[in-house]
Amino acid sequence: VPELPEVEAVARDLRRALASAVIEGVTVHRWDVIDGAGRRCGALRLGGGITGVLRHGKQLALVGKDGSVLVVQLGMTGEFGVVPGRAPMIPHTHACWDLDGGRHLRFVDPRRFGGLTLLDGHEALAERWARLGPDALSLPAQWGEAIIHRRTAIKAALLDQGAVAGVGNIYADEALALAGIQPARPCRKLSKHDVAKLRSALCSVLRAALRSGGSTVRTYRRLGGGQGAFQAKLRVYGRSGQPCLGCGMTLRSAQVVGRTTVWCPTCQT
DNA sequence: ACAGCTCCCTGCATGC
DNA sequence: TGCATGCAGGGAGCTG
């Protein structure tokens, strides 16, 4: 389940693996995972190489030598692999780039919640990312002022990519646990102090996860198939029925805004 | 306008 | 052992 730390880990892997790589060709196995710019193979070659890998929230952008931009959303199960040419084909490979030296970059996504979007240039990317909220790693100080007026549960606001970009179910629960706030609490019942605590909890939990290479829960893999390590440090996610690490009370679980949500009934109010 | 649902899809765990 | 069922979830799109 790639969220901000996992996507950032992939971005760093890609920067290292694709530095000075040349794209010699592209094979698309499923056009329906690719959106935009006429869906031409030629355009997917990104001018023959990738000059940069950007990230905002959970979205990645591969910037081509010709200025074109390929936006990547990993969804639930999307992953990249850079493999030697003789590597066996694996199922659900939707696109495969031929790199210099016989290597391949492939995009694999069994569940197909992810996808690729080809944009004309940086302006279109800026426009797209302007529709997202601020990246969760660098929330502006005034972020709290907007959040506090929403009519939803605080968890819904955290999951709304237009409010803050990069948070999914795992880190929403983790940040709320760290901040001592119940997921179902209405935004309007949060004090300025609560929101400030939440902002710093988000930042610290995401940074800690990033240092561990993200959380591998079920499906997420790094570029070379490596796993993250942060799943061992999760306080609440996936621990329903187990004791709270703070007070020992049994962690509760319920559906909140349609998502499985875990919290401590005493530490979080 | 906005909140809250359903649906998309596959792999894996569980139950009979 | 094998089959059916349920669950996981990001985001588009629809409903009330």
Side-chain angles (χ1 to χ4, degrees):
Chain A
V1 190
E3 300 180 30
L4 187 151
E6 292 77 27
V7 176
E8 177 63 22
V10 170
R12 290 176 184 181
D13 287 346
L14 284 172
R15 279 179 205 125
R16 200 171 29 225
L18 297 179
S20 74
V22 176
I23 296 176
E24 294 171 349
V26 186
T27 311
V28 173
H29 298 102
R30 275 199 80 117
W31 281 104
D32 60 352
V33 305
I34 302 173
D35 204 18
R39 296 175 169 185
R40 288 161 291 117
C41 264
L44 282 171
R45 290 183 54 180
L46 300 173
I50 291 165
T51 58
V53 179
L54 309 176
R55 183 195 60 76
H56 187 88
K58 302 178 209 175
Q59 298 191 17
L60 285 172
L62 310 184
V63 182
K65 275 186 180 158
D66 59 359
S68 60
V69 173
L70 185 68
V71 176
V72 180
Q73 290 183 269
L74 298 175
M76 280 283 289
T77 53
E79 57 186 272
F80 278 106
V82 174
V83 295
R86 63 183 177 285
M89 169 79 179
I90 64 173
H92 308 295
T93 299
H94 305 317
C96 187
W97 289 262
D98 309 317
L99 307 179
D100 54 292
R103 295 183 305 159
H104 292 309
L105 168 69
R106 57 192 185 192
F107 175 66
V108 183
D109 182 16
R111 215 164 295 185
R112 273 179 278 141
F113 278 23
L116 310 174
T117 305
L118 201 44
L119 301 177
D120 287 330
H122 203 276
E123 221 166 89
L125 180 66
E127 208 171 285
R128 182 187 174 96
W129 283 358
R131 290 197 292 268
L132 298 174
D135 190 80
L137 269 185
S138 50
L139 291 179
Q142 68 271 23
W143 177 72
E145 295 163 24
I147 228 68
I148 224 163
H149 296 297
R150 295 193 154 225
R151 295 169 184 279
T152 54
I154 181 59
K155 173 146 177 181
L158 289 180
L159 293 177
D160 180 352
Q161 301 302 297
V164 43
V167 182
N169 204 34
I170 298 175
Y171 297 108
D173 280 8
E174 292 301 306
L176 288 165
L178 196 55
I181 298 169
Q182 284 220 14
R185 185 130 140 241
C187 292
R188 313 208 318 165
K189 300 226 167 137
L190 294 173
S191 66
K192 284 191 171 180
H193 176 68
D194 291 328
V195 183
K197 254 202 313 198
L198 183 55
R199 182 170 165 266
S200 81
L202 258 180
C203 189
S204 85
V205 90
L206 292 171
R207 283 191 193 285
L210 189 49
R211 280 195 298 274
S212 298
S215 306
T216 294
V217 177
R218 296 182 198 89
T219 53
Y220 163 73
R221 288 291 182 280
R222 300 279 295 273
L223 187 58
Q227 304 196 1
F230 196 70
Q231 61 276 13
K233 298 181 187 169
L234 297 173
R235 292 159 191 267
V236 288
Y237 181 88
R239 295 193 62 244
S240 174
Q242 297 178 43
C244 169
L245 300 176
C247 73
M249 173 71 91
T250 303
L251 295 177
R252 274 200 60 190
S253 162
Q255 296 288 114
V256 175
V257 289
R259 293 282 174 258
T260 300
T261 300
V262 186
W263 75 98
C264 173
T266 54
C267 294
Q268 294 175 250
T269 57

